[in-house]
Amino acid sequence: MQPKSIYEDIAQVYLRLNNFFLTPNLVIELDRHPLEIDIIAYRPKGATEYLTSNRRLEIDKDFFNLLTPKGTIDGLNIALICDVKGESQKLWRADNPKHIEVKITHPLTLFGINTSKKEVRRMTRELIKNGTYRYKELIIALVGFAKESTRKPHFSTSTEVKHIIIPIEHALNFIINRIKKVKEKERAIIHYPNISFKTLILLHRTKLLK
């Protein structure tokens, strides 16, 4: 298993536990050149998850507070375009800048933005510049998952493509803390994306948290 696929598993579980529906590894054909978007994620407004004891599962406020100026997501749908990288790989980079634009423009129509091509291109430029964009009741964000020294989600300092960075260590800690808080008898109703998840944590927890 390659490091990137390990990080993708962690990113998917993290997003799943924050009430997102996921489309991983979306492939777009561009001039016979396949482009892959690591994860597309969508969270409907008001999304909430409860356990059998009627306890509400908490979301990661450190991340959600970055999505709007006031840190509130009430009444908003959230759509994420995610890039996942292994160690020593830079997020949201491509040899051809056009590929980055396509990886942003194409998902916008999937999110229900059925406006003119000119307007979609303008939104794409705004996303590249700011990392987030609000369209009516929809917040769209560019997100990157990677291993780095910073421990909390934050905006990148990149001048090429602005995005929110979620450190792999932070995502893994969120997942582990969630499991610790949930009683054994309640865990069965939390459907993780793959059955090898707990094994993944046991194998990589020590290495990733060094």
Side-chain angles (χ1 to χ4, degrees), residues 20 41-43 45 63-64 66-69 72-81 108 111 113 127 131-143 155 164:
F20 284 94
Y42 185 81
R43 184 181 191 273
K45 59 183 177 181
F63 167 62
F64 284 96
L66 297 174
L67 294 175
T68 62
T72 177
I73 58 170
D74 293 342
L76 295 174
N77 303 300
I78 301 171
L80 309 179
I81 307 171
L108 292 182
F111 297 147
I113 299 177
L127 270 167
T132 62
Y133 184 84
R134 179 166 179 174
Y135 176 77
K136 298 181 180 179
E137 294 183 346
L138 175 66
I139 293 290
I140 309 158
L142 304 182
V143 175
F155 276 99
I164 296 173

Side-chain angles (χ1 to χ4, degrees), residues 26 44 90-91 140 154 186:
L26 179 67
K90 293 183 178 181
L91 292 162
I140 309 158
H154 61 280
E186 297 172 325

Side-chain angles (χ1 to χ4, degrees), residues 93-99:
R93 296 291 178 89
D95 295 333
N96 186 340
K98 182 181 179 182
H99 293 175

Side-chain angles (χ1 to χ4, degrees), residues 34-192:
L35 299 177
E36 182 180 323
I37 302 174
D38 292 325
I39 304 171
I40 298 290
Y42 185 81
R43 184 181 191 273
K45 59 183 177 181
T48 307
E49 192 163 6
Y50 292 90
L51 296 171
T52 53
S53 60
N54 293 322
R55 287 195 296 120
R56 183 174 180 171
L57 293 175
E58 297 178 3
I59 59 176
D60 183 8
K61 294 180 180 179
D62 288 329
F63 167 62
F64 284 96
N65 286 344
L66 297 174
L67 294 175
T68 62
K70 295 183 179 180
T72 177
I73 58 170
D74 293 342
L76 295 174
N77 303 300
I78 301 171
L80 309 179
I81 307 171
C82 304
D83 192 32
V84 185
K85 290 290 187 285
E87 296 184 56
S88 303
Q89 294 177 301
K90 293 183 178 181
L91 292 162
W92 284 101
R93 296 291 178 89
D95 295 333
N96 186 340
K98 182 181 179 182
H99 293 175
I100 292 292
E101 293 182 11
V102 171
K103 290 173 73 171
I104 298 172
T105 301
H106 186 84
L108 292 182
T109 57
L110 297 178
F111 297 147
I113 299 177
N114 297 314
T115 183
S116 67
K117 291 183 178 179
K118 181 179 180 181
E119 182 67 8
V120 169
R121 287 195 294 270
R122 186 190 68 80
M123 293 179 188
T124 299
R125 291 193 297 269
E126 288 294 315
L127 270 167
I128 290 174
K129 178 181 177 182
N130 300 314
T132 62
Y133 184 84
R134 179 166 179 174
Y135 176 77
K136 298 181 180 179
E137 294 183 346
L138 175 66
I139 293 290
I140 309 158
L142 304 182
V143 175
F145 288 85
K147 186 178 180 185
E148 60 165 44
S149 57
T150 307
R151 294 181 177 271
K152 296 288 185 181
H154 61 280
F155 276 99
S156 68
T157 56
S158 171
T159 57
E160 296 180 23
V161 181
K162 192 86 168 182
H163 57 278
I164 296 173
I165 298 175
I166 301 178
I168 287 294
E169 180 180 4
H170 175 85
L172 188 57
N173 277 330
F174 176 84
I175 296 165
I176 293 170
N177 289 334
R178 165 66 63 83
I179 291 175
K180 287 180 178 179
K181 289 180 180 179
V182 177
K183 297 177 182 178
E184 187 66 38
K185 64 181 181 180
E186 297 172 325
R187 289 178 189 168
I189 71 165
I190 300 179
H191 305 288
Y192 296 108

